[in-house]
Amino acid sequence: MHIAIVGCGQLSRMLALAGLPLGFTFSFIAAPREDTRCVTGLGTTATWQPGQPVGHLYQALGQPDCVTVEKEQVDAGLLTQLQHYCPVLPNPEAVATCGHRWRERQLLVRLGIPCAAHRYDTPASQCVASLSLPLVAKSCRDGYDGKNQWRLDTPEDVASFDRQQLYRDCIIEQRIPFERELSQVSVRSRTGRICHYPLTDNHHENGILVQSVAPAVDVPATIASQAQDMISRIMEALDYVGVMAMECFLVSGELLVNELAPRVHNSGHWTQSGSATSQFENHVRAIAGLELGGTDMHGVCGMLNLIGTQRPPVDLLSASTTLHWYGKTVRPARKLGHVNFRARSHPELVQEIGRFQQSCTRVQPA
Ligand code: ATP
Ligand code: MG
Ligand code: MG
């Protein structure tokens, strides 16, 4: 089987690294000027931009049997046109829904899945009447790692936000005083079978995921089964095939869904070390029409993102840590790699992660 992936970042890299041992081959669709270093040596890369014929792209990709994505910001026409040549999984409609925050919220509301109170494309000054400060405004497209988001704390922030007309194609939502951020990573096969990884505890700084721990400690079983039920209903409603992540806030003992990712997700990277089958292999298995691999985990696992740090020397790795360095150009604030940790207990895991973090060297802005 030959699989083409839209995107040339670390997620494409890790999908290919998981699929190559199954005997699958890969090619990658790059946007003009996209940095393709992450996928160097893993397959051919073809560049495409909106308006170009897709038939030629399909040939340049080596006539894939299936196309998938590593990101949700994909030209909708690209995926629907590729569907004339081979299956596109997850389907273009599902990717487009998760690629636009308002469409995604409408799906959640339709399914009765709780999320923060929000308004779409409405001046913030009108939102404050029904939603109270503080608010968070988020552009519906092109947001990741907390980019294209605005914190509105004061009436002055509201006035300045509106003056710049920033509310266009944005959602404005209630700031949630969450206790924890949890994510559910699950996979659905072509035959509709769903497997769930354990809930993961995520810690973000400045909107960027810094570390994850799985399974999330001290989460009531009712919350875990609620998360599984919610993501199952979402995947079924979208007729979804592949891995999906659902990011949630835990607030006053309730889950609120923050966003969906129609792809493998940073909060599932620990599955490379801690699960019978990684999220990457399971995504490949799902889209290829294979039986899903087991999602049960061994021990306690953690993941630390290497953000704007030099590549750590491999002699820092202990017997229970693994390094995934993406081979990107090193820049401050950029996700350059991650480290996975396994431990017998949660306190031991936290200590290991902390120790590793201490020894990382940050790159300084030029
Ligand atoms: P990702 O890289 O996960 O795709 P993103 O840029 O799409 O991120 P969000 O996940 O919506 O953005 O927000 C990033 C982070 O900002 C969240 O993980 C959370 O820590 C914080 N945040 C977002 N929305 C809210 C909110 N309504 N209330 C409080 N904190 C929030
Ligand atoms: Mg997002
Ligand atoms: Mg997020």
Side-chain angles (χ1 to χ4, degrees):
M1 158 129 352
H2 180 56
I3 297 171
I5 310 177
V6 182
C8 301
Q10 64 265 21
L11 301 179
S12 290
R13 171 191 180 83
M14 291 186 276
L15 284 165
L17 289 173
L20 288 165
L22 300 175
F24 294 170
T25 52
F26 291 85
S27 52
F28 308 92
I29 304 175
R33 293 177 302 282
E34 183 171 349
D35 183 351
T36 61
R37 284 172 183 235
C38 283
V39 296
T40 302
L42 298 173
T44 54
T45 300
T47 303
W48 182 84
Q49 58 187 337
Q52 285 182 344
V54 162
H56 180 260
L57 172 70
Y58 181 73
Q59 297 303 326
L61 291 168
Q63 302 183 332
D65 302 297
C66 178
V67 170
T68 191
V69 299
E70 67 148 5
K71 56 186 172 188
E72 52 272 33
Q73 300 301 328
V74 183
D75 183 274
L78 171 63
L79 298 184
T80 49
Q81 286 180 69
L82 280 169
Q83 253 184 330
H84 296 301
Y85 298 88
C86 66
V88 174
L89 299 168
N91 68 72
E93 184 60 26
V95 176
T97 300
C98 300
H100 190 270
R101 275 186 210 275
W102 169 238
R103 288 187 62 183
E104 184 175 287
R105 290 297 169 97
Q106 285 176 299
L107 171 72
L108 298 177
V109 170
R110 182 161 66 78
L111 296 174
I113 292 177
C115 52
H118 58 277
R119 301 285 177 275
Y120 172 63
D121 203 49
T122 306
S125 56
Q126 288 176 34
C127 296
V128 286
S130 47
L131 311 173
S132 53
L133 290 174
L135 301 171
V136 182
K138 301 175 177 179
S139 137
C140 283
R141 294 179 202 276
D142 298 328
Y144 69 98
D145 289 347
K147 293 182 175 71
N148 289 322
Q149 288 192 11
W150 297 266
R151 302 280 186 251
L152 307 179
D153 293 309
T154 62
E156 292 72 44
D157 294 341
V158 168
S160 146
F161 183 79
D162 283 353
R163 234 183 351 261
Q164 299 171 72
Q165 303 242 328
L166 288 170
Y167 59 86
R168 290 286 178 213
D169 202 29
C170 263
I171 59 166
I172 295 183
E173 69 183 21
Q174 203 69 67
R175 178 95 51 90
I176 304 298
F178 57 79
E179 287 124 39
R180 296 161 75 173
E181 289 195 78
L182 304 173
S183 63
Q184 177 63 52
V185 176
S186 303
V187 57
R188 185 168 180 270
S189 75
R190 282 201 192 189
T191 58
R193 184 163 167 255
I194 296 176
C195 292
H196 303 283
Y197 289 100
L199 265 183
T200 301
D201 219 322
N202 301 310
H203 175 65
H204 295 80
E205 280 170 25
N206 304 319
I208 305 188
L209 180 67
V210 175
Q211 67 178 62
S212 302
V213 167
V217 278
D218 297 332
V219 175
T222 49
I223 292 288
S225 65
Q226 202 190 351
Q228 295 187 358
D229 172 66
M230 293 192 303
I231 198 168
S232 297
R233 286 194 287 130
I234 293 165
M235 290 198 293
E236 276 156 12
L238 293 170
D239 191 19
Y240 192 90
V241 175
V243 165
M244 173 183 272
M246 179 180 79
E247 295 181 13
C248 303
F249 299 132
L250 185 67
V251 55
S252 317
E254 306 264 353
L255 283 180
L256 288 184
V257 174
N258 175 37
E259 63 168 346
L260 306 172
R263 52 173 167 81
V264 288
H265 193 254
N266 199 167
S267 70
H269 288 3
W270 63 265
T271 60
Q272 291 169 315
S273 292
S275 181
T277 318
S278 76
Q279 63 164 349
F280 301 101
E281 180 173 339
N282 255 335
H283 184 75
V284 170
R285 283 180 174 232
I287 63 172
L290 306 183
E291 181 68 45
L292 300 179
T295 50
D296 40 317
M297 72 179 294
H298 327 300
V300 188
C301 286
M303 189 267 339
L304 175 69
N305 268 337
L306 300 173
I307 301 167
T309 66
Q310 302 291 0
R311 182 168 67 82
V314 281
D315 56 14
L316 277 184
L317 298 173
S318 73
S320 53
T321 53
T322 42
L323 170 66
H324 295 261
W325 186 252
Y326 309 146
K328 300 202 268 196
T329 308
V330 173
R331 277 206 298 265
R334 197 173 197 204
K335 279 184 192 167
L336 299 162
H338 70 270
V339 182
N340 285 332
F341 301 82
R342 270 178 295 118
R344 278 180 300 261
S345 70
H346 188 252
E348 189 186 302
L349 180 74
V350 171
Q351 200 178 23
E352 274 277 308
I353 297 176
R355 201 166 34 223
F356 200 97
Q357 203 166 19
Q358 293 284 308
S359 51
C360 292
T361 314
R362 286 202 180 281
V363 290
Q364 297 306 322

